[in-house]
Amino acid sequence: MVRDMQTVAGRALRALPRQRTSLTPALFTPIFFYVVNVASLEHIASLGQVPFEEFYLPVSIVVVAVTGASRAGTFVGDIATGYFDKLCVTPVRRSALLFGLMIADFVVVACLSVPVLLIGIVHGVRFESGVLGILLFILLASLWGLAFAGFPYALALRTGNPAVVTSAFTLFFSVAYLTTAFVPRDLLAPWLRWVSDGNPLTYLLEGLRSLVIDGWDGQALLVAMLTVFGVGLVSMTLALRSLSYRVRVGTQEVY
Amino acid sequence: MTGAIQVEGLVRTYGNTRAVDGLSIVVRESEVYGFIGPNGAGKTTTLRILSTLLAPTSGTVTVAGIDIERDPHSVRRLIGVALQESGLDGMQTSEEILAFHGRLQGLRGKSLKRGVERAIACLGVEGFASERISTLSGGMKRRLDIAIALVHSPAILFLDEPTVGMDPTSRRTLWEEISRLRRDEGTTVFLTTQYLDEADQLADRIGIIAGGQLKAEGSPADLKKALQRDVVNVTVSSRDDEDAEQIVKLTENNEATISAAHSNGVVSIQSLNGDITMAHMLEIVASASIGISDISLRRPTLDDVFIELTSEMSAASTGREDNENGA
């Protein structure tokens, strides 16, 4: 199983340098929003002792995972061309086809997080938790990327339709702003606070922010970890069910 | 009888349509089995079931003695499959995709390197091994697709319409490779094709499927022989219709003759046994002093067998539809 996952992840990672057109927006979008939002809001959105560039940095990292770092498009392509069938006649474990790509996603999110983080540090962001905190910050962001990835995979496998997967990314992107993206919970309008309380991203952002602003806040980090685990559990269940469906029906039904 | 592939009472339905309808076949070890039939006959569905891509609705299938429903994973280790509508990952090079599939088949290190080199060599992929797949022509992709199926030296090879889109040279190369695999490595090959000359050339035995059912099975020679329809053509030197008519009348009495007709001085006789008819013809023209410029015997081709069997099927289904409409 591990070897199968390594092989599948290897294919996806090998293709990365050849897919610059899809990686560029995934890197550009969070950096763009970080730079523009900080430049626009840092003077009016100073939150007491907390500089806005520190408060907003985790949002940009979370956006990395939402703006198309996922390899779900690979699945759609494989299904559309019939290559998925060719993979299915090999003895590879079916789940390795999914988890192998997710490992690649984890690596991609980790790699894309670094330049976004560097932009933040250049802007003056300082991590209260130190170097270890930075590493945990990247790990948490990458795990979020892994947990989130299950949703686009579920859609890709279920529909085999690139348009559905692309529009899902747009939908998920809006969800990223139905939370404490710009201000803490107690400054949100009541309806948005209510939505934000139910949005798992809120707890992830609070965990990531704690590493930047507060140092080591065990409770915030534990809640963030549990949130990532919970989202991952739901998304993986959906993705595995879709995988099972796709393996059952194949890419086509022919006589 | 045990075989490399055993199919018993196989049925696959899609809604109310029975794509495969009670199919039973045995493919022997180290045999090339040609599976032919018209469009929509059930060839590809059968191949997808045998290669573990589709579950049968009912019936049993064993491949290399393993039940495909109980242990598909083990079956996949033993088979190589080149599907008709299989795309390839255009972002990889030919060499990379071969190595990738070798790894999926469990090859590592030297055995992987050997497998890739062998697959590249056997189908003439050397010329474009390091090129990105997205830049290859359709024929090159088809050859690569089949090379992928061979990378782990499978005991059983499934090929679905393998030469579609190939130029004549590539086609000939693939035929030679299939023959070599069977002869030198004992590979069992299950081949679907619509090119009857391909089946005739390659297959030890042929199964003809129509409407999801097996209509005939046997060696190409046996199938042609079973048709019992040789054709003897005689060209009258004078091109005189009276001479030709005389030959027709004299031939009609022969017990091997099914029918005889002439046109433009050429007599065409359909015969149960071409050799007897030919000998009889020579006696007739000698005794009647009719000059002939040419005499030839044409054995039935696989095309004749195919058309005979599948047109029977079409006629039967038309008749059934007529009855149903009448009722």
Side-chain angles (χ1 to χ4, degrees), chain A residues 68-127:
Chain A
S70 164
R71 313 293 94 216
T74 304
F75 255 144
V76 176
D78 289 349
I79 291 165
T81 61
Y83 185 58
F84 185 74
D85 282 339
K86 194 147 188 74
L87 295 172
C88 286
V89 293
T90 69
V92 65
R93 303 275 170 196
R94 280 25 188 169
S95 50
L97 292 173
L98 178 65
F99 293 138
L101 290 181
M102 286 183 166
I103 287 173
D105 289 343
F106 178 83
V107 174
V108 170
V109 173
C111 292
L112 291 181
S113 297
V114 173
V116 178
L117 207 57
L118 286 174
I119 296 281
I121 289 169
V122 168
H123 256 82
V125 172
R126 294 288 171 268
F127 273 75

Side-chain angles (χ1 to χ4, degrees), chain A residues 3-4 6-11 14-15 18-19 74 78 81-94 97 247-255, chain B residues 12 14 17 19 40 42-45 48 51-53 73 76-77 81-83 85-89 91-93 96-97 100-101 103-105 108 132 145 148:
Chain A
R3 279 184 160 191
D4 285 348
Q6 280 175 344
T7 303
V8 175
R11 172 197 167 206
R14 216 173 25 251
R18 299 165 190 172
Q19 292 175 324
T74 304
D78 289 349
T81 61
Y83 185 58
F84 185 74
D85 282 339
K86 194 147 188 74
L87 295 172
C88 286
V89 293
T90 69
V92 65
R93 303 275 170 196
R94 280 25 188 169
L97 292 173
V247 167
R248 197 171 64 250
V249 303
T251 58
Q252 53 188 326
E253 295 214 327
V254 289
Y255 293 179
Chain B
R12 171 71 201 200
Y14 295 100
T17 308
K43 301 187 296 293
T44 298
T45 298
R48 290 173 79 85
S51 59
T52 74
L53 274 176
H73 189 74
R76 291 176 194 130
R77 289 200 175 282
V81 186
L83 297 165
E85 298 288 340
S86 169
L88 298 171
D89 177 7
M91 299 304 287
Q92 301 191 67
T93 66
E96 283 171 349
I97 203 167
F100 173 63
H101 277 266
R103 285 192 202 97
L104 292 180
Q105 290 289 351
R108 294 289 184 278
R132 194 87 63 83
D145 191 15
I148 289 170

Side-chain angles (χ1 to χ4, degrees), chain B residues 279-296:
Chain B
H280 182 237
M281 182 63 55
L282 291 171
E283 283 173 21
I284 287 171
V285 294
S287 61
S289 301
I290 299 170
I292 59 170
S293 61
D294 186 52
I295 183 165
S296 64

